[in-house]
């Protein structure tokens, strides 16, 4: 049990690696928490630093969710099965929770962070690769249709309990999917408010540049005419 507890704590720390914050700070010298939505996730990185850095952050955030969960799933099925037998198939979902929450409550950023969508996707792939890929397919399909990352993220995680159930995943895994849907939706509450107001930006929206300041006029004013 102690080994499982240490594994969960370590995963919380790994999940909190602020990929987006460090990337934008290194490239632009800017605190991403003061840009756009204030999130450290990939979507806000695109706004702050461009598509390339945004893609890197997206993939790394998936990886830091997938790696510890996939390892926990492997150990749960094999060498650690006897040590974790106090709760069969429960440790991997708890590790997934640690990665999910760790991303949005990063110990490196005073318990601030992103919306946990990409890291959450990584945890799903770690628990059940096919279920995670089906969830990603829903996400990419909704994003293609609506152009809203927030809507795609919420509907993607909404679908994952059904995929996991259809694939006969252990009940604790399905319960984690339900928790993930609730948590990720809560993390997107500000996006939902903007959607209701019609102010939520689409992924296709171009960044608005500030209006150019006209050069000072060189023409003499009436007061200046001798």
């Amino acid at each position: 049990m102690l080994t499982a507890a240490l594994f969960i704590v370590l995963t919380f720390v790994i999940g909190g690696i602020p990929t987006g914050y460090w990337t934008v700070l290194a490239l632009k010298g800017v605190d991403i928490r003061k840009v756009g939505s204030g999130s450290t996730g990939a979507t806000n990185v695109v706004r702050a630093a461009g598509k390339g850095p945004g893609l890197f952050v997206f993939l790394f955030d998936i990886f830091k969710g997938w790696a510890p969960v996939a390892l926990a799933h492997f150990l749960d099925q094999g060498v650690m099965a006897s040590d974790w037998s106090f709760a069969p198939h429960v440790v991997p979902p708890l590790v997934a929770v640690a990665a999910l929450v760790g991303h949005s409550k990063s110990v490196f950023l005073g318990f601030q962070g992103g919306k946990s969508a990409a890291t959450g996707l990584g945890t799903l792939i770690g628990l059940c690769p096919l279920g995670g890929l089906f969830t990603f397919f829903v996400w990419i399909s909704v994003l293609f249709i609506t152009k809203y990352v927030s809507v795609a993220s919420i509907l993607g995680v909404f679908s994952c309990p059904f995929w996991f159930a259809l694939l006969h995943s252990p009940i604790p895994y399905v319960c984690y999917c339900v928790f993930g849907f609730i948590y990720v939706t809560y993390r997107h509450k500000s996006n939902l408010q903007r959607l209701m107001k019609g102010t939520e930006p689409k992924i296709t929206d171009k960044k608005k540049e500030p209006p150019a300041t006209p050069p000072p006029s060189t023409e003499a004013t009436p007061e200046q005419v001798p």
Side-chain angles (χ1 to χ4, degrees):
M1 184 178 301
L2 181 59
T3 303
L6 290 175
F7 197 99
I8 292 168
V9 172
L10 180 60
T11 299
F12 181 81
V13 176
I14 293 173
I17 295 173
T19 320
Y21 173 81
W22 285 343
T23 299
V24 174
L25 188 64
L27 294 176
K28 300 293 183 178
V30 173
D31 185 343
I32 193 175
R33 296 171 296 177
K34 299 178 181 178
V35 176
S37 66
S39 169
T40 62
T43 303
N44 208 33
V45 172
V46 172
R47 298 188 187 105
K51 294 180 180 179
L55 178 61
F56 166 75
V57 170
F58 178 69
L59 294 176
F60 191 87
D61 283 350
I62 289 176
F63 174 77
K64 72 181 186 181
W66 168 80
V69 174
L71 179 59
H73 175 76
F74 172 76
L75 295 176
D76 185 66
Q77 306 296 318
V79 296
M80 296 298 292
S82 59
D83 291 349
W84 295 353
S85 61
F86 65 95
H89 308 307
V90 168
V91 173
L94 290 178
V95 171
V97 169
L100 190 74
V101 178
H103 175 78
S104 60
K105 303 292 182 182
S106 171
V107 295
F108 301 97
L109 297 178
F111 298 99
Q112 296 178 336
K115 304 294 177 64
S116 296
T119 300
L121 175 61
T123 65
L124 296 177
I125 297 173
L127 290 173
C128 175
L130 196 55
L133 291 176
F134 284 162
T135 301
F136 178 74
F137 177 77
V138 173
W139 180 83
I140 200 70
S141 299
V142 175
L143 180 62
F144 178 79
I145 295 169
T146 69
K147 305 300 187 296
Y148 288 113
V149 176
S150 55
V151 174
S153 298
I154 292 171
L155 292 183
V157 293
F158 173 77
S159 73
C160 74
F162 301 99
W163 299 126
F164 273 57
L166 286 173
L167 293 167
H168 306 290
S169 294
I171 291 177
Y173 287 26
V174 179
C175 291
Y176 166 71
C177 292
V178 174
F179 168 81
F181 165 66
I182 296 171
Y183 188 77
V184 171
T185 301
Y186 171 76
R187 293 293 301 172
H188 282 83
K189 60 184 183 298
S190 60
N191 302 83
L192 293 173
Q193 292 170 352
R194 289 194 293 268
L195 282 167
M196 290 187 288
K197 294 177 181 177
T199 58
E200 174 76 348
K202 294 184 177 181
I203 195 172
T204 52
D205 291 346
K206 294 183 179 179
K207 183 178 179 181
K208 294 182 179 180
E209 299 293 340
T213 303
S217 175
T218 58
E219 295 182 3
T221 63
E223 291 78 5
Q224 295 172 324
V225 177

